[in-house]
């Protein structure tokens, strides 16, 4: 632990002109007294750390000293590619690995390029969770992430509807969608049972990580299918999911404003398809569309946002419900 801290201190000083004891203490999460002891240890080991005295003083490396301890470890290299999603790194327990990777990259750069990382971070930021949500990271996410990194099988218990099931999984990849974590994995057949066709590999499935109630990684590493493409797999499954839940239809008459707002209150692809298939505007400038929706209850909640820009024509029960809501609203403002 102390050796890793000393290496990190050297990399910090190598990547910056000078740092105060307070700045080093904050970065290393230790006291300033510990910083002083560590600086002494580095000096005794031959690392030329120089202390500038005074109010604006600090520690710096002299003589153009550069360490060669800049090689990235496996976890650091992997974390570096996720460094644009800091919330994801925190939730998977990779913040320290990412920090070490960034330091090593910074230390390897020429002095005039060392502000590149900070400059990029101040100009581009990815905020993954959706608005108006404060998602709690799943408690078992770090364990699942470790298994994904190491290609280790896991034995997991998973809540499916109203019951808990046990599964042995080969975890291939994690996806963060609107603040919710999903695992792409192969579910192996129960012990003692073989697949229906031994020549056919188990299909890939998607699991919500927050529905895992227990996860245990075993010592067995599985051989990854090199043809598996996580982004392509997720895109296909996401499209299938969106299509599968749109099981009902509603007929609407929309104003031009309603046409523009429709993709913001319902499934965007379904909204675009409905508008593309709509006829010409009628004498009042309104267009009639047939929209695919999840069900009448969801459609009611979504289409209320359009207010007077939409008129529900069918189904009749949904139209009656909107009419009753309109009367109640009018009564409030009468």
């Amino acid at each position: 632990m102390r050796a890793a801290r000393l290496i990190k201190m050297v990399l910090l000083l190598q990547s910056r002109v000078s740092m105060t004891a307070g700045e080093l203490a904050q970065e290393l999460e230790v006291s300033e007294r510990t910083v002083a002891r560590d600086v002494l240890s580095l000096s005794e080991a031959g690392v030329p750390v120089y202390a500038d005295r005074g109010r604006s003083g600090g520690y710096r490396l002299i003589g153009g000293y550069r360490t060669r301890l800049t090689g990235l470890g496996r976890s650091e290299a992997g974390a570096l590619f996720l460094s644009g999603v800091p919330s994801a790194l925190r939730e998977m327990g990779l913040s320290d690995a990412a920090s070490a990777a960034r330091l090593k990259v910074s230390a390897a750069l020429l002095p005039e390029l060392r502000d590149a990382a900070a400059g990029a971070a101040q100009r581009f930021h990815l905020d993954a969770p959706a608005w108006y949500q404060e998602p709690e990271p799943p408690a078992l996410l770090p364990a699942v992430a470790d298994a994904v990194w190491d290609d280790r099988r896991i034995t997991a218990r998973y809540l499916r509807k109203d019951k808990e099931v046990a599964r042995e999984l080969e975890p291939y990849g994690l996806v963060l969608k609107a603040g919710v974590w999903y695992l792409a994995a192969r579910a192996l057949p129960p012990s003692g049972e073989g697949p229906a066709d031994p020549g056919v590999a188990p299909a890939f499935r998607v699991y919500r990580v927050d529905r895992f109630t227990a996860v245990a990684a075993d010592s067995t590493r599985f051989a990854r299918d090199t043809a598996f493409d996580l982004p392509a797999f997720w895109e296909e499954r996401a499209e299938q999911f969106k299509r599968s839940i749109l099981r009902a239809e509603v007929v609407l008459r929309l104003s031009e404003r309603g046409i523009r707002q429709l993709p913001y209150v319902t499934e965007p692809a379904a909204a675009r398809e409905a508008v593309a298939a709509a006829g010409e505007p009628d004498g009042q400038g309104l267009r009639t569309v047939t929209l695919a929706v999840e069900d009448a209850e969801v459609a009611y909640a979504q289409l209320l946002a359009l207010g007077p820009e939409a008129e529900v024509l069918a189904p009749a029960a949904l139209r009656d419900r909107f009419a009753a809501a309109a009367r109640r609203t009018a009564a409030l403002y009468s």
Side-chain angles (χ1 to χ4, degrees):
M1 185 64 144
R2 184 165 185 253
R5 189 174 72 242
L6 292 174
I7 292 171
K8 186 173 182 179
M9 177 181 286
V10 173
L11 291 172
L12 283 168
L13 294 173
Q14 185 172 315
S15 63
R16 307 182 193 182
V17 175
S18 176
M19 294 185 71
T20 67
E23 290 170 339
L24 283 168
Q26 184 175 3
E27 289 280 355
L28 300 171
E29 298 181 350
V30 295
S31 68
E32 293 187 22
R33 181 172 295 181
T34 299
V35 168
R37 286 199 297 266
D38 286 350
V39 167
L40 181 60
S41 297
L42 288 173
S43 296
E44 291 173 349
V47 178
V49 182
Y50 180 78
D52 289 315
R53 305 295 180 184
R55 179 177 299 179
S56 60
Y59 296 103
R60 59 187 175 89
L61 295 173
I62 59 174
Y65 179 85
R66 296 183 63 80
T67 176
R68 295 184 180 275
L69 296 172
T70 53
L72 294 178
R74 184 179 182 85
S75 63
E76 294 168 348
L80 188 61
F81 288 100
L82 292 170
S83 58
V85 195
S87 60
L89 288 168
R90 285 195 302 272
E91 292 174 11
M92 288 192 292
L94 291 172
S95 293
D96 289 344
S99 176
R102 286 192 293 269
L103 275 174
K104 289 181 178 181
V105 170
S106 179
L109 293 174
L110 294 172
E112 60 268 24
L113 299 178
R114 287 178 189 164
D115 63 346
Q122 292 303 318
R123 288 167 174 80
F124 302 99
H125 176 68
L126 175 61
D127 185 8
W131 287 106
Y132 313 121
Q133 294 183 10
E134 295 183 4
E136 285 290 332
L140 296 174
L141 177 62
V144 175
D146 285 345
V148 170
W149 283 117
D150 290 341
D151 294 336
R152 293 189 182 277
R153 289 179 180 171
I154 60 173
T155 301
R157 300 197 66 81
Y158 184 79
L159 289 175
R160 190 174 66 184
K161 295 183 179 180
D162 57 347
K163 64 178 181 179
E164 189 176 75
V165 297
R167 290 286 183 268
E168 186 176 3
L169 304 174
E170 293 179 345
Y172 267 69
L174 285 162
V175 176
L176 177 61
K177 171 69 171 179
V180 179
W181 285 94
Y182 298 88
L183 173 69
R186 275 179 168 164
L188 303 180
S191 180
E193 297 183 18
D197 183 348
V200 177
F204 288 100
R205 300 182 183 276
V206 176
Y207 301 86
R208 277 187 59 147
V209 178
D210 58 4
R211 292 181 182 167
F212 285 114
T213 59
V215 171
D218 59 35
S219 58
T220 304
R221 279 195 168 93
F222 62 91
R224 291 181 69 91
D225 181 350
T226 56
F228 178 75
D229 184 330
L230 180 60
F233 167 78
W234 178 257
E235 183 177 359
E236 179 185 354
R237 286 303 174 91
E239 187 61 29
Q240 290 176 358
F241 174 74
K242 287 188 293 187
R243 298 291 180 184
S244 69
I245 64 173
L246 302 179
R247 304 186 186 94
E249 289 183 343
V250 298
V251 181
L252 308 169
R253 186 181 290 126
L254 297 168
S255 67
E256 282 304 313
R257 182 182 177 86
I259 290 285
R260 292 194 301 270
Q261 291 180 336
L262 190 63
Y264 298 101
V265 300
T266 63
E267 206 289 309
R272 288 192 295 268
E273 290 177 5
V275 172
E280 294 298 318
D282 60 18
Q284 297 176 298
L286 304 177
R287 299 175 70 184
T288 300
V289 304
T290 300
L291 176 70
V293 296
E294 187 171 344
D295 56 34
E297 189 66 33
V298 172
Y300 177 75
Q302 292 174 335
L303 297 174
L304 272 178
L306 295 179
E309 308 303 329
E311 177 189 359
V312 176
L313 302 179
L318 186 60
R319 178 180 173 84
D320 291 343
R321 190 171 178 184
F322 270 87
R327 289 192 293 271
R328 292 199 307 272
T329 303
L332 290 174
Y333 290 95
S334 61

